[in-house]
Amino acid sequence: MNDLPIFIMYKKLLMTAVAVAACLQPNAQTLAPDYKGTSSNNPISACVFCADPTALEYNGRLYVYGSNDHQQFVANGKKGENTYGSIKSIVVFSTDDMVNWTFHGTIDVARLCSSWVTRPWYQGFGVSWAPSVTWRTTDDGKDEFFLYFCNSSHGVGVLKAESPLGPWKSPNNRLLVHYDTQGANPQGTNANFDPGVVIDDNGVGWLSFGGLGPSTIMPEAARIVKLKPSMTEVDGAAVKIHAPYHFEANELNVIGGKYVYTYCSNWADRVDADWNAYKAEHGISAPKPGVCTMCYMVSDNPTDPNSWVYKGVYGPHPGMGTNNNHSHLQKFQGEYYHIYHAAPLMQKWREAGVIDNDCGIFRSICVNKVSVNESTQNISQVTPNIEGVTAIKNLNPFQWQEAETMASCGGVEYEDFTNITKNTRISRLGNDASANMQVNMKGGAWISQRKVDFGATGAGKFTIRAKGTAKIELRFSRAGRPVETIEFSSTEMEDQTFEVNASKFKGEKNNFFVAVTEATDFYVDGWQFVEDGATGIFEIENGTRDNVMRYDLWGRRLPEAQQHRGIVIERYTDANGVSRTRKTLSE
């Protein structure tokens, strides 16, 4: 009996030691939650709501544009229904590996179209939904980019730029397509929205649009119109596409010399007799589409309404919390991808109690691979899922990486550093697409990149460009032990370099930067590791550099003869034939 007090004392000491040890564990620190999931590649952004995707491939990168649902989310005070009325900008993301996405900010369409006419009212600007994008190289070697968007149901507007990131401008003072456009849906019937653009093999531009027709097997609301060489004017009257069960979400592709039109189906009753009659009339065998599915048709003469052949469904309703469907079919690096929206992030936020259950549906852009037979234009049905696609290449940590390039994140906010002041409202997402985007990290915030290849030699140094004060832990998992810890402090945006243990930073890793609780007004611009034994962050590989192309921070190509002082972006091919990108200082 005399030993009992000693036993109780030892038990208390043991419990105290366990409690202290728990406090010393890295995951005892309060980290921002991981709503996307460590094994999920959908959605492409873990913190920005966006929808109605479109895309283009340019210089080895895939650029994705979408409706800025987040602008409506913020305008709502992060609650209430998504009425879409406050969406007046377009988000821009890009990737070269399909898992790590760079957020480039937003295109402020309201500002660009602020001088549009107001009479008649339906030709003026109101909102910017459902973009569609394309680009071309002119005969004189100039790259031109065209971004189309819908102004609610009234019509389609267009923006123009010389790079995928702008700066964008409005070439017209009103909508390109509206109620008065010959062949368009007249005022009071259907809608002239959800554009889809393509430039065919002959260099001719085409624009599809239309929707919200009667809930029948043949709503007759789908349209297509030829564009003039300027790509900013229509060339003749729009004609109908006899698309069965058509509803919205028009997009165009050219595959194997044929025109491929995709759209979302409506909620009309599927009557077998109606569908069997349609199949017999058009000599097809495809089953009738389900509601809210992505369908496709093929033609070799887009202005002939009777030339379009219905092929079937390739994109089922994605589920994952969304109530509608909108997608884009995109070829990138030789493979096809189904880019669409769902609402998995909104679902996670609701489940976690971050937002009320009665908050509306705010969507996220997702990607899954799709199989396309280019000779027959047959598209296999996609299986939308949260896993998404796998990386097509590793991320190179020895090249400069923007802080906005991430696979996932928690607790971060974006802002253009030129706008950062004491009273700046964060996450309005109203700035132009810009190379000046920064990531604001408070205590517990983290960002991650997947498939980071440090190679066999490993990294000996780590450089971060930032402003503010923070203790940053470099980890290989979100809640894992820190591999290295750095302490950054600067009142200005500047580079600081830290030694790291090269024996730890070897091989392929998932990379995590975690801001611990000491973070104060901390903004990160970018980062780069330096291979062990290398001398500097902007060191150029030994050997020749071929096909060097120089761009300013807006992404605009700089003529070879043009002198440009300050930071420029160089894209080139190294001695091993590998395409590389770096930021460098031009004197």
Side-chain angles (χ1 to χ4, degrees):
M1 295 293 296
N2 292 335
D3 292 336
L4 185 58
I6 296 176
F7 171 77
I8 293 173
M9 179 182 69
Y10 279 137
K11 183 177 180 181
K12 288 182 177 180
L13 288 172
L14 178 61
M15 292 177 66
T16 301
V18 170
V20 170
C23 291
L24 295 175
Q25 294 300 311
N27 55 3
Q29 169 188 313
T30 302
L31 294 183
D34 180 10
Y35 295 114
K36 180 173 178 176
T38 55
S39 61
S40 301
N41 288 318
N42 279 330
I44 67 172
S45 174
C47 60
V48 176
F49 293 122
C50 44
D52 307 322
T54 186
L56 61 82
E57 180 177 0
Y58 181 70
N59 283 348
R61 293 191 70 83
L62 177 67
Y63 290 84
V64 174
Y65 307 75
S67 301
N68 189 358
D69 272 24
H70 210 93
Q71 189 172 26
Q72 182 74 56
F73 181 67
V74 173
N76 283 9
K78 303 183 179 180
K79 58 185 178 182
E81 289 299 317
N82 187 356
T83 62
Y84 314 122
S86 294
I87 300 177
K88 301 176 186 291
S89 58
I90 293 169
V91 299
V92 188
F93 290 85
S94 75
T95 185
D96 65 355
D97 60 22
M98 299 305 295
V99 299
N100 297 295
W101 292 85
T102 303
F103 177 53
H104 296 287
T106 63
I107 303 170
D108 190 351
V109 185
R111 180 181 62 81
L112 296 173
C113 303
S114 60
S115 62
W116 278 16
V117 300
T118 57
R119 294 181 181 178
W121 61 272
Y122 52 78
Q123 293 185 20
F125 174 79
V127 292
S128 54
W129 303 345
S132 185
V133 69
T134 191
W135 73 282
R136 68 184 179 188
T137 300
T138 61
D139 291 339
D140 59 2
K142 180 181 178 182
D143 292 339
E144 292 182 327
F145 297 80
F146 301 92
L147 184 64
Y148 302 81
F149 64 92
C150 68
N151 183 35
S152 183
S153 62
H154 308 150
V156 176
V158 60
L159 303 176
K160 183 179 179 180
E162 295 180 5
S163 92
L165 300 181
W168 296 89
K169 63 181 180 180
S170 173
N172 300 331
N173 68 346
R174 66 189 68 218
L175 290 173
L176 167 68
V177 173
H178 45 76
Y179 292 129
D180 298 333
T181 300
Q182 188 178 1
N185 290 295
Q187 187 174 350
T189 64
N190 309 333
N192 295 308
F193 72 168
D194 284 12
V197 66
V198 73
I199 297 175
D200 67 20
D201 297 337
N202 297 315
V204 178
W206 300 89
L207 187 74
S208 59
F209 61 93
L212 303 187
S215 189
T216 63
I217 186 174
M218 193 55 64
E220 298 287 36
R223 300 288 193 274
I224 189 168
V225 68
K226 184 180 178 182
L227 297 174
K228 290 185 177 181
S230 67
M231 296 290 290
T232 61
E233 297 176 273
V234 298
D235 187 1
V239 298
K240 292 180 180 180
I241 299 177
H242 300 309
Y245 298 113
H246 174 267
F247 186 63
E248 60 181 2
N250 315 281
E251 275 279 27
L252 287 171
N253 287 82
V254 172
I255 301 175
K258 302 280 189 177
Y259 300 86
V260 178
Y261 168 64
T262 61
Y263 65 93
C264 178
S265 64
N266 63 17
W267 278 259
D269 290 337
R270 286 358 186 211
V271 178
D272 288 342
D274 292 344
W275 186 250
N276 290 335
Y278 178 84
K279 288 197 301 180
E281 180 183 357
H282 296 277
I284 63 172
S285 59
K288 59 180 178 293
V291 300
C292 201
T293 58
M294 296 306 303
C295 307
Y296 71 108
M297 304 184 76
V298 175
S299 169
D300 56 8
N301 183 7
T303 57
D304 179 3
N306 296 316
S307 70
W308 290 95
V309 177
Y310 178 83
K311 300 277 283 186
V313 171
Y314 78 95
H317 187 279
M320 292 188 280
T322 188
N323 61 347
N324 57 15
N325 204 351
H326 195 123
S327 73
H328 175 69
L329 182 67
Q330 178 64 45
K331 189 175 184 180
F332 176 61
Q333 300 292 301
E335 300 288 345
Y336 279 92
Y337 295 92
H338 174 60
I339 310 175
Y340 60 100
H341 69 229
L345 185 62
M346 174 57 62
Q347 282 185 314
K348 292 291 186 181
W349 285 20
R350 282 177 176 169
E351 293 168 4
V354 176
I355 55 174
D356 295 335
N357 285 331
D358 61 356
C359 186
I361 297 174
F362 293 88
R363 302 157 296 179
S364 297
I365 293 175
C366 302
V367 184
N368 281 94
K369 204 168 182 181
V370 61
S371 178
V372 176
N373 185 321
E374 293 186 335
S375 62
T376 63
Q377 295 80 45
N378 287 332
I379 308 173
S380 299
Q381 187 159 306
V382 181
T383 302
N385 56 49
I386 203 70
E387 291 78 16
V389 297
T390 57
I392 62 174
K393 61 181 288 190
N394 288 340
L395 186 145
N396 185 355
F398 305 127
Q399 292 179 346
W400 183 258
Q401 302 291 341
E402 300 295 334
E404 312 84 66
T405 300
M406 57 184 76
S408 189
C409 65
V412 305
E413 294 174 321
Y414 298 102
E415 185 57 84
D416 186 315
F417 78 77
T418 59
N419 294 332
I420 290 178
T421 66
K422 186 175 181 179
N423 297 318
T424 296
R425 287 183 59 197
I426 305 299
S427 288
R428 287 185 303 168
L429 299 183
N431 48 284
D432 281 347
S434 168
N436 297 330
M437 288 295 294
Q438 310 298 303
V439 174
N440 176 218
M441 300 180 70
K442 297 180 173 61
W446 56 274
I447 61 176
S448 70
Q449 304 83 31
R450 294 176 185 162
K451 303 280 286 187
V452 180
D453 188 1
F454 290 98
T457 303
K461 294 179 181 178
F462 172 69
T463 295
I464 184 171
R465 180 176 299 158
K467 176 184 178 181
T469 300
K471 180 183 288 186
I472 300 294
E473 292 180 351
L474 309 184
R475 304 179 182 181
F476 295 144
S477 66
R478 173 180 163 272
R481 293 181 178 276
V483 183
E484 293 283 357
T485 301
I486 65 172
E487 296 191 19
F488 183 100
S489 183
S490 174
T491 58
E492 303 294 334
M493 186 66 68
E494 68 172 31
D495 293 351
Q496 292 186 14
T497 300
F498 303 85
E499 302 285 338
V500 297
N501 188 335
S503 65
K504 297 180 180 179
F505 290 88
K506 285 186 177 181
E508 183 184 300
K509 308 287 186 182
N510 289 331
N511 212 36
F512 286 77
F513 303 141
V514 180
V516 295
T517 54
E518 289 85 348
T520 305
D521 295 328
F522 187 58
Y523 295 87
V524 187
D525 178 32
W527 56 272
Q528 181 176 3
F529 284 88
V530 179
E531 194 170 9
D532 192 34
T535 58
I537 189 167
F538 292 123
E539 183 177 50
I540 302 174
E541 299 87 348
N542 293 328
T544 60
R545 291 183 299 138
D546 298 321
N547 303 319
V548 179
M549 294 180 289
R550 299 167 70 246
Y551 300 81
D552 64 16
L553 288 179
W554 286 100
R556 294 173 297 195
R557 177 82 178 272
L558 297 173
E560 293 183 9
Q562 178 176 325
Q563 296 296 317
H564 186 86
R565 296 179 61 85
I567 296 176
V568 299
I569 299 170
E570 286 190 349
R571 291 192 174 114
Y572 61 95
T573 304
D574 67 14
N576 297 317
V578 178
S579 297
R580 299 189 179 277
T581 302
R582 68 168 189 152
K583 278 185 179 178
T584 187
L585 187 63
S586 179
E587 299 294 341

